[in-house]
Amino acid sequence: MDMRYVIIGNGGAGLKAARTIRKRDAEGSITIVDEERYPCYYRMRMPDYICGWASLESLFVVDLDHYSQQRIRLILEDKVGRILPDRGVVVLESGSVLPYDRLLIASGARPRLRPCPGSDLDGVVYLRTLEQAEDIIDRAKKAGHAVALGGGLLGVELARCFNELGLTTHYLIREDRFWPQILDKNGSSLVESVLREKGIMLHTEEGLSEISGDGGRVTGVITATGDSLEADLVGIAIGVISNIDFLRDSGIETDRGIIVDDHLLTNRPHIYAAGDVAQAYDVVHGEHRVVTSWLNAQRQGATAGINMSGGSEALGGVVPFNVINIYGLSIASIGMDKPPGDETFEVLTGDYPRGMEYRKLILRDGVLVGANLIGDIKEARALETLIKSRADISAYRDRLFEPDFKAGDLLKELTGE
């Protein structure tokens, strides 16, 4: 009997799994269900689309014809209501029932809401879906002022979008600098200088107390320190939450996300998870963690697809890996961002910053466990491989910041890769 594959989620992990399965199983039926109405698209390109730097067409990974060509049944604009593992079925909110032999949960994540007075006013926006991106573009045509909240990757992207759309933009960061969870003061200062140069008004150690409105629409914000700022749009980016609510009573083990082993298998037979919803073993931090990135989604989707279709592929754990480009300034964060502070850790920065370039390496007992690159990030993948392979680079400490040092060369020397 032909295998029946059901995939919840049409993002990077879900589509990658489906395409991997189809390469390995020409006869099995594959069904993808997703609540959005678009084919799979690159979420990380949405800010460039909003800014007018990228076309709508460039966002899509594939077009709708691709699914039929691959004999993938695509169910859009429908949500999963329940999973019944004992019966081997997925129940959709529309009432449809999808039986499965192998199930992948790649349902992604949604923005974390900011509960405060006025948070439900018209003009409070989030950026996670293409529909929300289109909404921001449309609203900006009738707006003049905007406030962005959130000191991480998506917060700065919202500030950039508002600014490029011609709005007077205030950017609120609750911490003392940009992205302090990842960057040290030197790294943050480089980013902040670029933002200010572009005209974004940066407010550090400043939160949001209330969103003001008139007639149900946003008119401004009151900050945590009591300042009033005019605003027609308020963009909130304070993190994401894995979409796992529909798993209640399923018996599938969850924490922040869905707990999976190194084959992406959950605690229930024949049910896998991948992408922004999967909580896999983080080899750097030594615990199961949700790692949200396109690269991670692709790797996990491929691994899950192989194992769902009869293979035995180990992921090898995950390494946090984030890349962003802010007004031409590239930033990569790999592995551990902040050492706990005990004597087994060593933070090396050499003679950086060099102009608008910065490099920080974190070692634990001589083993590379983390890296931050700003400006020149070409060696991010090589550093990630060194981290994942637990490479002891203590013997090379004196060479790490020489002008001709290449992490790729060191990788070949240590691992032969």
Side-chain angles (χ1 to χ4, degrees), residues 10 35 54 99 104-105 116 121 134 158 167 169-170 183 231 255 269-270 290 295 417:
N10 186 39
E35 62 183 294
L104 174 65
I105 305 170
C116 70
L121 288 169
E134 298 278 17
L158 276 171
L167 309 181
T169 302
H170 292 268
L183 301 178
D255 181 34
H270 312 310
V290 176
L295 179 63
E417 296 187 20

Side-chain angles (χ1 to χ4, degrees), residues 6 31 33 73 75 88-92 96-100:
V6 173
T31 300
V33 58
R73 180 189 179 196
I75 301 174
V89 298
V90 173
V91 182
L92 305 185
S96 298
V97 177
L98 305 176
Y100 67 84

Side-chain angles (χ1 to χ4, degrees), residues 262-283:
D262 208 35
H263 288 74
L264 283 309
L265 185 64
T266 71
N267 64 309
R268 298 303 301 262
H270 312 310
I271 300 179
Y272 298 77
D276 292 356
V277 77
Q279 194 166 337
Y281 184 73
D282 181 330
V283 300

Side-chain angles (χ1 to χ4, degrees), residues 25-36:
D25 184 347
E27 304 302 327
S29 68
I30 304 174
T31 300
I32 297 178
V33 58
D34 194 272
E35 62 183 294
E36 293 195 61

Side-chain angles (χ1 to χ4, degrees), residues 224-238:
T225 58
D227 288 341
S228 295
L229 302 174
E230 185 178 354
D232 307 295
L233 283 178
V234 177
I236 297 177
I238 54 173

